[in-house]
Amino acid sequence: MRMKELPADFKRALPVLKEIEQAGYEAYFVGGSVRDHILGLPIHDVDIATSAYPEEIKEIFKHTVDTGIQHGTVTVLFSGSSYEITTFRTESGYQDYRRPDQVTFVRSLEDDLKRRDFTINALALDRNGDVIDKFDGLKDLDDHLIRAVGKAEERFHEDALRMMRAVRFQSQLNFKIENKTAEAIALNAHLLEKIAVERTREEFIKMMLGQAWQKGFANFLTFKLCDYAPGMKQHGSSLVKLTKLEPVKFMDEDAIWAAIGYALQLSDQDLNKLLRVWKVSNKTREASLATYEMLELFANKNFDTWEIYSLGIDNFERTVTLCQLFDIKIEYNKLSETVEQIPIRSSHDLAITGNDLIKILGINPGPEIGKMLKNVEKAVVKENVSNYFDELKVYVLSNR
């Protein structure tokens, strides 16, 4: 297969390939960027693979950075851009089911492509636009199929995270997982326990943000990967309900965790524990919990403006999408207008400060100031007083 037109990202990198070839070595675009261009998707990272060894790359180019030289990767700074260039390599001895014990640099492109996870990622593209396809990756792209390169079980024993990548690609591309590859995932799901939580979470979130997340998530459950993901073993059967709901896309990671909490009907405390086990960032954890609480308020139809404000106006639209997912009926237009009319978005927007209160009331700093500010904030949100300094001053003096 020859591409009629290379994308702009590839064209910009062509001089890099040319430099390597003029030095007597091979160089190709490889991996996800080739796959995505063929599928007509945006390209994110341009990866280059070469027969030149790292030291040889450093001789060819003046400006380089040893970003992962032990694994054959050198970053080349060229014409205002940076490119990660990796030497063809083979790998062996995966004792931790994630990283190879030994990396051997080779001159063969085919040997390098053999070690890749799936056929659709084992494609290379030369400077002339010709696609090198050693494992029928182009056919699998046409068939919308995710198939392991070679023996699937071997690929997953080399790197158990590839099982999560399979369901993630299924979600992102809306592809099917080939039968033998699917069987190998189900047989080796227990190896996911060997993988760092952070890496599993990264793939899990990418899967849940995909266009066909319910397909990927269904296989995450069917293959029992959930049994070896943090804190989910006992919840697999309950999480199935998410796969049967309206296909609403999640806005972000915060929405995903709130949805999981709601599907499992967890207490705030239990959802918090789950998020900590998954090593979710504090910012995401706080937003997820607030969104979950707001979702419960909407479901119970028992809330006021102050409660929505207290849980964060920024969480409102996210909660609305989750109402669509769980078919929770709300008067969106009316509610949206109410939220839009809240005079402030946070306490930082108040026209009066704690120092102002100290001067106005002639009192010393202390807990009482915080309580007064909270009362003022609540009065502004409920529109009992306007957010202007003079009016707030009068309000404070009359309600001290």
Side-chain angles (χ1 to χ4, degrees), residues 26-82:
E26 296 176 36
Y28 304 90
F29 299 114
V30 293
S33 60
V34 179
R35 176 201 68 223
D36 288 343
H37 178 58
I38 293 172
L39 291 173
L41 299 173
I43 292 173
H44 299 293
D45 298 310
V46 174
D47 294 322
I48 298 171
T50 179
S51 61
Y53 290 178
E55 292 303 322
E56 293 166 338
I57 288 294
K58 291 168 73 172
E59 289 177 5
I60 297 170
F61 298 98
K62 292 180 180 179
H63 304 292
T64 64
V65 180
D66 295 351
T67 44
I69 199 164
Q70 70 275 19
H71 293 111
T73 301
V74 175
T75 296
V76 170
L77 308 176
F78 189 89
S79 295
S81 298
S82 62

Side-chain angles (χ1 to χ4, degrees), residues 71-101:
H71 293 111
T73 301
V74 175
T75 296
V76 170
L77 308 176
F78 189 89
S79 295
S81 298
S82 62
Y83 300 95
E84 283 196 354
I85 300 178
T86 303
T87 301
F88 299 157
R89 67 182 193 255
T90 59
E91 301 171 343
S92 59
Y94 302 81
Q95 291 187 28
D96 65 355
Y97 297 96
R98 178 72 184 105
R99 294 176 297 270
D101 297 331

Side-chain angles (χ1 to χ4, degrees), residues 122-162:
L123 300 169
L125 178 70
D126 70 16
R127 192 157 55 89
N128 300 314
D130 289 316
V131 178
I132 294 87
D133 177 18
K134 301 289 186 180
F135 305 101
D136 290 329
L138 290 173
K139 184 177 186 304
D140 286 339
L141 282 179
D142 284 339
D143 294 339
H144 290 193
L145 207 59
I146 298 165
R147 181 198 307 272
V149 173
K151 293 183 178 179
E153 189 166 11
E154 290 180 5
R155 298 292 80 77
F156 300 142
H157 274 253
E158 291 167 354
D159 183 354
L161 190 63
R162 287 170 170 169

Side-chain angles (χ1 to χ4, degrees), residues 337-388:
E337 185 177 344
T338 298
V339 171
E340 189 68 29
Q341 289 176 351
I342 295 176
I344 58 175
R345 297 191 72 84
S346 76
S347 60
H348 299 296
D349 297 331
L350 282 175
I352 201 166
T353 68
N355 287 331
D356 293 329
L357 294 184
I358 291 171
K359 293 175 183 177
I360 293 167
L361 300 173
I363 61 177
N364 294 323
E368 193 65 24
I369 298 298
K371 291 178 183 178
M372 288 182 180
L373 272 179
K374 183 58 71 175
N375 288 335
V376 170
E377 183 182 6
K378 194 168 186 178
V380 170
V381 169
K382 291 194 167 191
E383 299 186 89
N384 294 329
V385 61
S386 297
N387 189 35
Y388 296 104

Side-chain angles (χ1 to χ4, degrees), residues 223-271:
F223 299 153
K224 302 298 183 185
L225 289 167
C226 62
D227 286 2
Y228 305 98
M232 285 194 173
K233 184 170 185 177
Q234 69 273 33
H235 297 308
S237 57
S238 299
L239 287 170
V240 170
K241 68 182 72 171
L242 283 173
T243 67
K244 304 180 187 303
L245 300 175
E246 285 297 311
V248 175
K249 281 198 70 175
F250 291 114
M251 282 179 58
D252 51 25
E253 181 178 355
D254 309 336
I256 293 166
W257 294 118
I260 288 172
Y262 191 80
L264 298 177
Q265 288 297 288
L266 298 177
S267 66
D268 291 356
Q269 186 178 15
D270 285 340
L271 179 56

